[in-house]
Amino acid sequence: MLNIEESLIRNTLSGDMGSFEKLVNLYKDKIYCFIFKMTSSKEDVEDIVQETFIKVFNNLYKYNNKWKFSTWIYRIAVNALKNHYKKKKRICSKELCKDIPREFDFDILSNPEDNYLRKEFYNEIVTIIYQLDYKYKIVFFLRYIKDFTIGEISNIVGVSSGTVRTRIHRARKKICDEFKKNCKEDMFYDV
């Protein structure tokens, strides 16, 4: 039995553009959010997402259904993102990261000072994550934000599973080290 993605792919390859539009609609928000979290620039996101779906359309005939379609489309998005980084030759700086929407739920029953410290810790960690080198940031996001498996990440970024694990470990270590370095010791109390 064909799943909806396989049906839409088959119909698109037969010339049904409405099926491709439905396929795009299944993934556009996910890809947009992923790319935005990687670039933190609304202007760049539009270009990269558009490039991703153009590549999906042009290469749909190459899709092998032995792999999950989500893995295949994220690999295309990652490659479009790599091309973007090569063209722009820039990495998110603190100034760019200030504009990143930061979701944080406050516990209204908690002490306001505790809520303030939690928010400060959260913002510091998010800023550190966005400043990671691209190769660490991409695997970190795919693992902890998008919840891909190590094997899927390996396939998406085109490196071995061992390399993915190493990069995730180094990303976590870098985040911890930078957080400790940037925060004063007297801030570390039980929040």
Side-chain angles (χ1 to χ4, degrees):
M1 182 175 179
L2 289 175
N3 69 27
I4 189 147
E5 290 169 350
E6 291 174 358
S7 175
L8 292 172
I9 291 167
R10 189 185 69 224
N11 292 343
T12 299
L13 291 173
S14 297
D16 179 8
M17 291 309 294
S19 291
F20 183 70
E21 185 178 338
K22 290 176 185 174
L23 195 59
V24 168
N25 288 333
L26 282 175
Y27 283 94
K28 71 179 178 185
D29 291 339
K30 295 173 187 174
I31 297 296
Y32 183 94
C33 289
F34 170 70
I35 298 296
F36 181 75
K37 288 177 180 177
M38 292 300 297
T39 65
S40 71
S41 167
K42 290 181 183 179
E43 297 81 27
D44 293 341
V45 171
E46 296 293 334
D47 293 340
I48 297 168
V49 170
Q50 183 177 20
E51 182 182 342
T52 297
F53 284 106
I54 289 170
K55 287 182 178 182
V56 167
F57 181 77
N58 289 336
N59 294 290
L60 196 57
Y61 71 95
K62 295 179 182 178
Y63 169 67
N64 183 341
N65 65 1
K66 79 175 188 174
W67 302 104
K68 286 173 40 175
F69 185 74
S70 61
T71 303
W72 187 75
I73 197 168
Y74 271 92
R75 182 167 191 157
I76 291 173
V78 166
N79 286 335
L81 191 59
K82 281 182 190 177
N83 291 339
H84 169 76
Y85 272 112
K86 287 178 186 174
K87 288 177 192 170
K88 295 284 185 169
K89 293 188 180 184
R90 67 182 166 98
I91 297 176
C92 178
S93 67
K94 273 194 174 179
E95 291 72 41
L96 289 173
C97 291
K98 283 193 280 190
D99 297 330
I100 298 168
R102 302 177 195 273
E103 299 171 16
F104 187 82
D105 293 327
F106 292 100
D107 181 358
I108 59 172
L109 300 176
S110 291
N111 176 336
E113 188 175 329
D114 290 346
N115 281 334
Y116 174 78
L117 283 174
R118 283 189 189 106
K119 183 179 181 199
E120 288 299 307
F121 286 165
Y122 177 83
N123 288 339
E124 182 65 28
I125 290 170
V126 168
T127 299
I128 292 167
I129 290 169
Y130 279 98
Q131 292 176 331
L132 288 173
D133 287 342
Y134 171 79
K135 66 183 180 180
Y136 300 123
K137 184 167 47 171
I138 191 81
V139 295
F140 186 86
F141 272 104
L142 289 171
R143 181 69 187 116
Y144 296 111
I145 308 298
K146 302 311 288 178
D147 204 30
F148 280 102
T149 66
I150 299 295
E152 290 170 331
I153 297 168
S154 172
N155 190 27
I156 289 169
V157 298
V159 297
S160 71
S161 295
T163 300
V164 169
R165 283 187 190 90
T166 300
R167 288 179 182 178
I168 289 171
H169 173 76
R170 288 180 181 164
R172 288 190 315 230
K173 182 173 179 0
K174 178 78 170 168
I175 293 165
C176 290
D177 291 348
E178 286 297 312
F179 183 75
K180 287 176 186 175
K181 184 171 76 174
N182 294 346
C183 293
K184 298 175 185 154
E185 282 190 34
D186 60 344
M187 292 176 73
F188 289 99
Y189 69 90
D190 191 24
V191 177

